[in-house]
Amino acid sequence: MEFDALVEPLRQKSVASLAEHGFALIEGRTATVAEVADLEKQLGVTLPETYKAFMMRYGGGMVGCVELFPIVSAGSGGDDVESVNDREFPGRTFIAIAPVGTGDHWGFPVDDGHCREEVWFHFHDGGDPEFEAADVLEFIARRGLRL
């Protein structure tokens, strides 16, 4: 996979950072097939295949310079995909996958219960969403890996 080659330098830095500083640059809070299926059932949407594969292989949490909501919460009231979307987007017209830090989110527009592959920027105070990337891998490469 081409993405694996892009992320490998960050993986190596992450291992070194964990050993030296006690924190990883890639948290890797991965999800199982069953956890992803349960999330889709709870949200009532079909998530993009590329996103599901990413979350099972790499996981949520910090991925370089971007934070992805994990599929399953780490506990103690931490945000995960379901809790954020239940709170912020109960109408399921948008599925947030990452916070921007300003109350805005990156995520997937939903058409008839199916998330688009594209990642969009959603403003918390209105305004039209803006296209960000063709899929989650391009989004992570741009925002997380800064390529």
Side-chain angles (χ1 to χ4, degrees), residues 4-143:
D4 287 337
L6 292 175
V7 81
E8 187 55 32
L10 183 62
R11 274 187 202 265
Q12 292 173 6
K13 287 180 186 175
S14 184
V15 170
S17 176
L18 184 59
E20 186 175 338
H21 304 291
F23 67 90
L25 303 175
I26 299 177
E27 287 185 61
R29 292 165 46 192
T30 58
T32 65
V33 171
E35 289 167 338
V36 171
D38 186 53
L39 175 65
E40 287 181 311
K41 182 179 175 186
Q42 295 303 317
L43 294 175
V45 301
T46 302
L47 296 164
E49 292 300 321
T50 306
Y51 172 73
K52 293 188 287 189
F54 181 93
M55 295 305 282
M56 288 185 276
R57 180 167 176 87
Y58 296 101
M62 291 306 295
V63 182
C65 299
V66 72
E67 177 186 1
L68 294 176
F69 298 122
I71 298 293
V72 178
S73 176
S76 66
D79 283 334
D80 57 45
V81 175
E82 183 180 359
S83 67
V84 168
N85 285 285
D86 283 350
R87 184 176 63 245
E88 302 291 332
F89 302 100
R92 301 299 191 251
T93 58
F94 185 83
I95 298 297
I97 61 165
V100 175
T102 58
D104 303 322
H105 294 90
W106 286 296
F108 307 114
V110 179
D111 298 318
D112 297 323
H114 297 277
C115 293
R116 293 188 211 160
E117 281 284 339
E118 303 106 12
V119 176
W120 288 68
F121 182 91
H122 188 282
F123 296 93
H124 73 282
D125 58 356
D128 292 333
E130 294 179 358
F131 177 81
E132 180 71 28
D135 63 23
V136 72
L137 298 180
E138 181 182 309
F139 169 71
I140 296 298
R142 240 193 246 160
R143 292 291 178 164

